[in-house]
């Protein structure tokens, strides 16, 4: 894929401040610098809560952390510190770095660290190397929410709330961007992409995106598109700058390592205010399988392998634990790690 120089694409030079949303989003929300600073402060405070869980978590040791591919699990602690632990021994000692993020994901030595600095009142998408050294920082507005890296480590995506703070209501807005680390092409919002809905061009003032997941070709991606009360699974073409709707009631998609299935959160009875059921869509047959996790899952699940999903369950005090469940509907949920979120299998 070659870099395309258009008014929508950006080159590796420093990026200007985010442009106002398209299609009159200001009619729905008002995002000011002061609000962004306040939201960033909320995000920092949110992850700095101390766990009240009584079950011991994996012991932690402060040390240099490398995210080079290996049979390890990457997570964040409740204070946002980057940690790794043996994938086959999650109860073992966790290596803990001084580096902090609000959301994290990594693949092939590329680390995406979405970070809200409560002191400076800024939010940035930090691209780090396997030793957690910064390669690039992209200014972002809003509360950090989702982040993903393609299998090759080339493509990075993020989502932030820029209005509201929950998917469970209609009173929210998001901004989702994609950055190509190879060409330097940057889209701070997917709202510049053309939408094909039900086979026809589509535009609306309320279009929102979140939860990107990439295929192995570093061009095709899946995401959620919201419009008119519907939350569609869309397939995107990065080079063509287009997305097309595939089906309704699919949120926060996560593509399996073999590229055949998508884990997602399905709104219960089509109503997100009732919560979400962690489910899996077979892309070949269009069949949906509900997992054995019956509690509401408000997360973009991560695949630890082709048969196991990892996801977060949050306590009333805001602290989080990692759980796993088989992707085929069998078995039962299992606690993987306390005081942890933003999982990614490193190898």
């Amino acid at each position: 894929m070659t870099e395309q120089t258009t008014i929508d694409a950006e080159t590796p030079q420093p990026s200007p401040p985010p442009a106002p949303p398209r299609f009159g989003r200001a009619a729905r929300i008002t995002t000011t610098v002061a609000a962004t600073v306040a939201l960033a402060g909320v995000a920092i405070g949110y992850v700095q809560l101390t766990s009240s869980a009584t079950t011991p978590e994996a012991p932690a040791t402060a040390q240099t952390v490398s995210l080079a591919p290996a049979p390890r699990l990457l997570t964040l602690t409740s204070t946002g510190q980057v940690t790794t632990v043996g994938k086959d021994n999650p109860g073992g000692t966790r290596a803990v770095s001084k580096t902090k993020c609000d959301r994290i994901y990594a693949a092939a030595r590329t680390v995406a660290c979405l970070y809200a600095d409560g002191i400076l009142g800024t939010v940035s998408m930090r691209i780090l190397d396997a030793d957690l050294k910064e390669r690039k920082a992209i200014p972002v507005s809003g509360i950090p929410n989702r982040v993903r890296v393609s299998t090759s480590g080339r493509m990075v995506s993020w989502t932030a709330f820029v209005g509201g703070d929950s998917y469970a209501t209609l009173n929210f807005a998001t901004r989702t961007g994609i950055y190509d680390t190879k060409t330097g092409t940057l889209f701070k919002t997917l709202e510049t992409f053309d939408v094909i809905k039900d086979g026809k061009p589509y535009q609306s003032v309320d279009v929102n995106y979140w939860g990107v997941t990439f295929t192995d070709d570093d061009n095709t991606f899946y995401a959620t598109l919201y419009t008119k009360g519907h939350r569609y699974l869309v397939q995107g073409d990065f080079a063509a700058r287009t997305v097309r709707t595939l089906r309704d009631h699919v949120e926060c998609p996560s593509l399996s390592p073999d590229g055949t299935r998508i884990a997602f959160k399905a709104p219960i009875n089509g109503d997100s205010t009732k919560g979400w059921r962690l489910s899996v869509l077979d892309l070949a047959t269009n069949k949906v399988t509900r997992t054995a996790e019956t509690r509401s899952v408000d997360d973009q699940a991560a695949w630890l392998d082709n048969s196991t999903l990892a996801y977060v369950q949050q306590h009333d005090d805001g602290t989080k634990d990692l759980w796993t469940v088989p992707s085929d509907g069998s078995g039962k949920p299992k606690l993987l790690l306390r005081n942890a979120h933003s999982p990614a299998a490193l190898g």
Side-chain angles (χ1 to χ4, degrees):
M1 181 170 61
T2 58
E3 182 176 2
Q4 300 189 15
T5 304
T6 69
I7 61 173
D8 296 326
E10 298 186 18
T11 56
Q13 284 74 35
S15 306
R22 296 192 319 153
F23 305 135
R25 174 185 285 169
R28 292 197 307 113
I29 63 170
T30 301
T31 304
T32 64
V33 173
T36 300
V37 172
L39 292 175
V42 169
I44 287 296
Y46 182 73
V47 299
Q48 288 183 337
L49 293 170
T50 302
S51 175
S52 62
T54 56
T55 302
E57 63 189 60
T61 302
Q63 58 183 268
T64 301
V65 173
S66 173
L67 301 189
R72 288 173 293 164
L73 179 66
L74 165 68
T75 68
L76 296 176
T77 67
S78 61
T79 57
Q81 288 176 285
V82 179
T83 78
T84 58
V85 68
K87 185 178 177 183
D88 298 327
N89 184 29
T93 300
R94 265 194 271 188
V96 181
S97 169
K98 294 181 180 179
T99 300
K100 290 188 175 184
C101 308
D102 288 88
R103 295 292 185 272
I104 197 170
Y105 201 83
R109 298 178 179 273
T110 297
V111 183
C113 169
L114 191 54
Y115 178 62
D117 190 318
I119 297 176
L120 298 178
T122 60
V123 180
S124 59
M125 178 70 261
R126 301 179 64 209
I127 313 299
L128 314 177
D129 65 17
D131 295 321
L132 301 181
K133 295 180 180 179
E134 187 173 291
R135 293 162 49 187
K136 182 178 179 65
I138 301 169
V140 174
S141 296
I143 299 175
N145 183 250
R146 308 288 185 216
V147 66
R148 276 298 187 268
V149 179
S150 66
T151 302
S152 71
R154 174 174 173 174
M155 309 298 290
V156 174
S157 180
W158 61 93
T159 297
F161 281 117
V162 294
D165 59 3
S166 173
Y167 293 113
T169 71
L170 300 182
N171 185 29
F172 76 94
T174 60
R175 184 166 295 136
T176 295
I178 294 180
Y179 174 62
D180 183 340
T181 65
K182 182 176 181 179
T183 66
T185 302
L186 169 65
F187 285 88
K188 287 191 174 182
T189 173
L190 294 186
E191 291 169 35
T192 58
F193 281 36
D194 293 326
V195 179
I196 306 299
K197 180 178 175 290
D198 301 326
K200 300 178 181 179
Y202 178 81
Q203 288 188 350
S204 177
V205 297
D206 66 349
V207 167
N208 273 265
Y209 294 91
W210 63 85
V212 168
T213 185
F214 297 99
T215 69
D216 286 344
D217 67 7
D218 285 333
N219 181 64
T220 306
F221 63 90
Y222 296 93
T224 300
L225 180 153
Y226 170 89
T227 184
K228 306 297 184 184
H230 294 268
R231 299 153 193 241
Y232 296 99
L233 173 67
V234 295
Q235 184 181 66
D237 185 318
F238 187 73
R241 312 321 190 212
T242 60
V243 301
R244 63 184 181 91
T245 58
L246 298 181
R247 63 179 295 147
D248 202 354
H249 302 309
V250 174
E251 297 188 54
C252 298
S254 180
L255 188 65
S256 61
D258 61 12
T260 63
R261 290 153 295 152
I262 285 180
F264 67 100
K265 59 179 197 180
I268 296 174
N269 296 327
D271 184 356
S272 61
T273 63
K274 297 179 180 179
W276 297 272
R277 183 70 181 269
L278 183 59
S279 306
V280 176
L281 169 68
D282 187 301
L283 291 171
T285 65
N286 222 26
K287 177 184 177 182
V288 172
T289 300
R290 291 184 174 184
T291 68
E293 176 57 89
T294 58
R295 294 171 296 177
S296 179
V297 175
D298 183 8
D299 194 18
Q300 185 175 19
W303 293 79
L304 299 187
D305 51 44
N306 277 312
S307 60
T308 309
L309 295 171
Y311 54 95
V312 166
Q313 285 291 347
Q314 181 170 297
H315 297 286
D316 291 339
D317 65 358
T319 58
K320 302 175 182 180
D321 298 332
L322 274 179
W323 289 72
T324 64
V325 71
S327 62
D328 62 2
S330 66
K332 61 181 181 180
K334 294 182 179 180
L335 178 64
L336 178 66
L337 197 60
R338 289 203 180 277
N339 181 28
H341 65 105
S342 293
L346 297 178

